[in-house]
Amino acid sequence: QVQLVESGGGLVQPGGSLRLSCAASGANFSIYTMGWYRQAPGKQRELVADITSGSTTNYAGSVKGRFTISRDNAKNTVSLQLNSLKPEDTAVYYCNARRNFVAYWGQGTQVTVSS
């Protein structure tokens, strides 16, 4: 079992930055692929970025070059740096841990980009 707790969301103006963090508890954090997903009102949840146990990263095209995912296996955390934010980045952002078709989710943190 893995428990995930996100933090760092909030209200930011277009062009601004935020840093989301996800703290994981439970066994063997380092073996999981960690990801950030988001869900905007009326839309399906979508992958934003993920990072494998070997630190290979993958980004959605809409955020590539603006967002950066990283992990710290010593601290059992995964972070998402959000730069050059746009109103269309507004969503609830969820932390995810997955391995071998088993997935765990955090409760989500709201990111709102508005002037």
Side-chain angles (χ1 to χ4, degrees):
Q1 289 279 347
V2 177
Q3 293 79 43
L4 304 171
V5 179
E6 302 99 333
S7 61
L11 173 64
V12 63
Q13 293 186 343
S17 298
L18 281 175
R19 186 173 182 86
L20 307 183
S21 293
C22 173
S25 59
N28 298 325
F29 171 82
S30 64
I31 68 174
Y32 287 88
T33 292
M34 301 300 299
W36 286 95
Y37 289 71
R38 67 186 180 187
Q39 187 166 19
K43 294 188 176 181
Q44 293 206 350
R45 192 173 297 189
E46 63 176 359
L47 175 68
V48 176
D50 59 23
I51 183 167
T52 68
S53 58
S55 294
T56 298
T57 58
N58 173 55
Y59 295 92
S62 60
V63 308
K64 196 171 293 187
R66 300 188 297 124
F67 292 6
T68 302
I69 190 170
S70 60
R71 67 189 297 161
D72 185 336
N73 290 336
K75 296 181 179 180
N76 284 11
T77 59
V78 59
S79 299
L80 186 69
Q81 179 68 38
L82 295 71
N83 296 330
S84 303
L85 281 160
K86 305 175 181 180
E88 51 263 43
D89 294 318
T90 295
V92 178
Y93 284 70
Y94 297 91
C95 181
N96 169 274
R98 69 178 190 272
R99 182 174 183 265
N100 293 344
F101 307 107
V102 177
Y104 302 95
W105 294 92
Q107 82 288 351
T109 186
Q110 177 70 47
V111 171
T112 302
V113 185
S114 175
S115 55

